[in-house]
Structures are given as structure tokens and as C-alpha cells.
Amino acid sequence: IPLSMLMVVGLYDDINGEILNGSEGCGYAQALVNGHKRYSVLHSYLYPQLSNKNLTIATNKKVTKLLISANSQCLGLEYLDSDGLKKINVGKELILSAGAMESPAILQRSGVGDRELLESLEIQVKKDLQGVGRNLMDHPHFFYNIYFNNSLPAEGYWISSAAHIKSSPTLEIPDIQFDFIDNGKQETIDEAFPGLGFDATRMLSALIHLNKPVSKGSVQIVSKDSSVKPIVDPNFLGEQEDIDAVISAFKIAVNILENSFETSEYVTLHDYFGALGIPFPVPQTDEEIFQLYVLPTMGTAWHSCGTCAMGTSEESVVDAELKVHGITNLRVADASVMPTIPRCNTMAPSILIGEMATEFILADAEIS
């Protein structure tokens, strides 16, 4: 996608830097890629340590709950594998890193959470922490697509460029992220538009993220049985402020995509559908934009966080060193501890949380 079309808001070498501090801008997308394949934290952090004698990896084991004593001390955990229910005791402390969905669920099953919820499920309350499972945040996103007459040039990575913009000129910092995607995965296109025969190599999409939502959701167990999944209510666009932001972002995306190319090069999807005899009206109102374009493609960016929030308020779960309030020998180190959602992808902040957890543990152990 031509970056020249976004130059009005500035071109940056680093889309995670100055752009996020108040200015708007665009740049080439950054990714952890090695040999044209995604290079995850699993590859970069864990794999190099596999031969360490002080590392044991146990797979296919489901943590059911933590073992917490009557005097609020974490003693270990209980897990389930093919041989049944087993326990592990901890010598020093336990670090819970199960993510924004499972970390609060494990705490709740262990008796750490909102007293009313736990008592309703006949779970012995070890610590009444109302914030466990609350404050769920994410970056909801949706698509706007145009369809080219010919295939787009092949690229090495499917997200070619990105931009951070403001949904309103009254904002001090960007709240919207655009990822411009060319040559998307064919299976993804087929799933989104079943039976229409779209060629993924001819589709250009603006993936529109709401990076500073005000709506918050929750994670809540419904049973003490670990095989029963918790209820996750993301509450996407639960506040009118968020709805207004995504409608504004949609209009900006349409303006960018439809004015960056010659009209003879592409068709809009409502024109494409119209040629097939499928009614798909051009939205005339904000409500039609919301119903026709936003809601049908709304999804998660998998940036869930906040459900074991750090802080000192009644709703907080961990302190500044990631220790669970009122429970000794227990920390949480994952995206669930973020009290507010960052205006960027959450992988890098999650890595930083892990690095800081290491520093805290070493400091407590007086190891440099």
C-alpha cells in the first residue's frame, strides 16, 4: 500500500515510538520474523534454555487450582494429567502466568476472588479480592476491504504497513491503529466470505483496531470444576464513546483506501456484491455503518489484559512487585496485571512484565 497516502500524518521508522506519544503517523509494520516465519517468544526465550538443568517443562497438565493455606500462604498447586490429580509443593514462591483468561479463573477456583461469587460456588474463600476477573480489556478490531482487478504484488509478510491515528481531532493521543493487509491468508478470506470465491491475493484490507477502549469486560468461573470453562464477557463497544470512535475510524479507513488508487483498479465490496445480485447497500448513516460493516467483522486482537490488575485500590489484585494482595509466596506475571491497556500490541509489554518479575525475584533472593 503506498505510504505516500498517509504522509499527511507523518512517516516514522518506528511505529511503536513517538507516534504513540501524541503525534499521528504511519510506517512499515514491524514483526518478529525469522526466515519468513513468525519467531515467537517461545523460540527466542524458551528454546535456548531447554538444556538448563534447573528447567523442567511439563506438558499436557491442566492446573486445577493453587494450594493456599489457612494463613493465606501459597503452598503449591494441584494439576490434572492422564494419571489423575496430582500436587506440586513450592519451596519459595509460585509464579502464575496463565494469561488474562486463565490466571483469574485459577485464582477464583483457589479461593481468591470476589467473596459473593466464591461462596455461591461453594468455594472456600482464602482472600476476598473483588478485582479478580474484572477490568478485562482488549483491542477490538474490524475490517474494511477493497477488491482489486488484478493480484497485488507478493510481499514477504502479510501486514505491509500500519498507522496510528486519532478518531477525533479533540484527542491528545492516537486511539486507533490501522494495519494494512495485502495477500491475506486464503482460508481467512474464505471463512469471512464463504462461497463467494474471493482471491486473497486481490484483497486489500484495513484492519481497524480500537486501541484505547473505555468499555471493560470480565472473566468469571461458573463452577469449581476446572473442566468447566469460565464465562468471558469482553463487552466490546459497551460504551457509546467506543462506538463513536470506531465509526469515525471506519470513515477514515474508507477515505484512505478509496482515494489512494485509481477507481479503475479496484471495486468496493458493495459493488462486487451488487454485480453478483447480492443486495449490499452503501451505508448512509452511522447506524448503517455500525450494523453493516463494524459488527459483522468485529473480533479480538488477542490482546486481553487487566483481569488481575496492579494497584492499590479495592479492585486491584497485585502490588507493584506483582505479589498478590494478602497472599504470601504468590505472584502473577502476565498481561492480566496491566491496570490499563497499552495503545500498542501487548506482546512487548508482556515480555517486560516477565523481565521485571525476574528482577523482583532475584532482588528478594539477594542474587545479582
Side-chain angles (χ1 to χ4, degrees):
I1 187 167
L3 288 176
S4 58
M5 70 184 187
L6 291 167
M7 287 293 286
V8 291
V9 292
L11 177 62
Y12 290 84
D13 293 330
D14 183 0
I15 61 168
N16 291 298
E18 185 181 349
I19 298 176
L20 299 175
N21 294 325
S23 58
E24 297 177 291
C26 67
Y28 290 109
Q30 297 163 331
L32 285 177
V33 176
N34 185 11
H36 298 287
K37 294 182 179 180
R38 187 164 188 169
Y39 196 71
S40 70
V41 177
L42 177 71
H43 296 85
S44 57
Y45 269 75
L46 185 59
Y47 283 4
Q49 308 299 326
L50 291 179
S51 61
N52 284 5
K53 294 181 179 179
N54 63 348
L55 172 65
T56 300
I57 299 175
T59 60
N60 298 316
K61 302 184 190 305
K62 168 75 173 179
V63 174
T64 57
K65 66 178 181 180
L66 308 181
L67 303 174
I68 299 175
S69 67
N71 63 346
S72 301
Q73 180 180 3
C74 182
L75 305 176
L77 62 83
E78 180 183 85
Y79 69 92
L80 186 65
D81 66 9
S82 58
D83 296 327
L85 206 58
K86 297 180 181 179
K87 297 179 180 179
I88 294 179
N89 296 323
V90 297
K92 184 66 176 177
E93 63 180 336
L94 187 145
I95 317 299
L96 179 59
S97 299
M101 305 301 183
E102 278 298 316
S103 283
I106 291 172
L107 287 175
Q108 289 169 351
R109 290 198 300 268
S110 308
V112 180
D114 180 71
R115 176 180 295 276
E116 184 176 345
L117 168 66
L118 302 182
E119 290 181 343
S120 70
L121 299 174
E122 298 182 346
I123 296 174
Q124 184 180 358
V125 179
K126 301 299 177 67
K127 179 63 180 179
D128 182 10
L129 285 179
Q130 296 185 8
V132 175
R134 298 183 184 178
N135 195 50
L136 175 63
M137 297 168 288
D138 201 340
H139 292 148
H141 66 201
F142 62 102
F143 287 89
Y144 181 70
N145 311 276
I146 58 176
Y147 196 64
F148 283 79
N149 300 324
N150 299 301
S151 296
L152 295 163
E155 296 285 345
Y157 190 66
W158 71 305
I159 298 180
S160 59
S161 55
H164 291 277
I165 60 99
K166 301 172 184 177
S167 63
S168 169
T170 62
L171 295 176
E172 295 183 0
I173 56 177
D175 63 328
I176 300 295
Q177 177 180 325
F178 291 154
D179 290 332
F180 295 99
I181 303 174
D182 52 16
N183 295 293
K185 298 177 181 178
Q186 187 64 52
E187 59 266 31
T188 302
I189 299 301
D190 291 341
E191 182 179 350
F193 304 100
L196 293 177
F198 280 126
D199 180 355
T201 66
R202 294 167 59 187
M203 185 84 74
L204 178 61
S205 303
L207 178 58
I208 306 165
H209 303 265
L210 177 59
N211 273 11
K212 205 60 180 175
V214 296
S215 306
K216 296 181 179 181
S218 63
V219 177
Q220 181 174 300
I221 62 170
V222 293
S223 171
K224 64 174 67 176
D225 184 350
S226 63
S227 66
V228 179
K229 295 183 181 298
I231 292 178
V232 177
D233 177 12
N235 193 32
F236 287 159
L237 309 183
E239 300 290 339
Q240 186 62 44
E241 184 176 339
D242 290 343
I243 295 175
D244 294 341
V246 297
I247 291 174
S248 174
F250 172 84
K251 295 175 181 178
I252 296 170
V254 170
N255 184 54
I256 290 173
L257 289 186
E258 295 188 5
N259 290 286
S260 298
F261 307 94
E262 296 294 332
T263 55
S264 60
E265 294 182 87
Y266 70 91
V267 294
T268 61
L269 290 194
H270 44 258
D271 288 339
Y272 185 93
F273 287 139
L276 295 176
I278 303 173
F280 198 83
V282 178
Q284 302 295 325
T285 65
D286 287 353
E287 179 63 21
E288 288 179 349
I289 289 173
F290 188 66
Q291 295 295 334
L292 292 174
Y293 281 94
V294 176
L295 287 183
T297 61
M298 177 63 63
T300 171
W302 307 110
H303 296 167
S304 305
C305 61
T307 50
C308 298
M310 180 188 301
T312 58
S313 70
E314 293 183 358
E315 290 268 311
S316 64
V317 178
V318 303
D319 65 15
E321 294 188 349
L322 308 177
K323 296 178 180 179
V324 177
H325 292 306
I327 305 291
T328 57
N329 300 347
L330 178 61
R331 299 185 209 242
V332 179
D334 56 37
S336 71
V337 306
M338 299 179 187
T340 59
I341 191 166
R343 287 174 290 113
C344 61
N345 292 26
T346 51
M347 185 188 71
S350 296
I351 293 173
L352 180 58
I353 290 168
E355 292 279 6
M356 292 305 301
T358 301
E359 295 295 325
F360 296 146
I361 294 166
L362 293 176
D364 283 356
E366 297 182 347
I367 299 174
S368 61

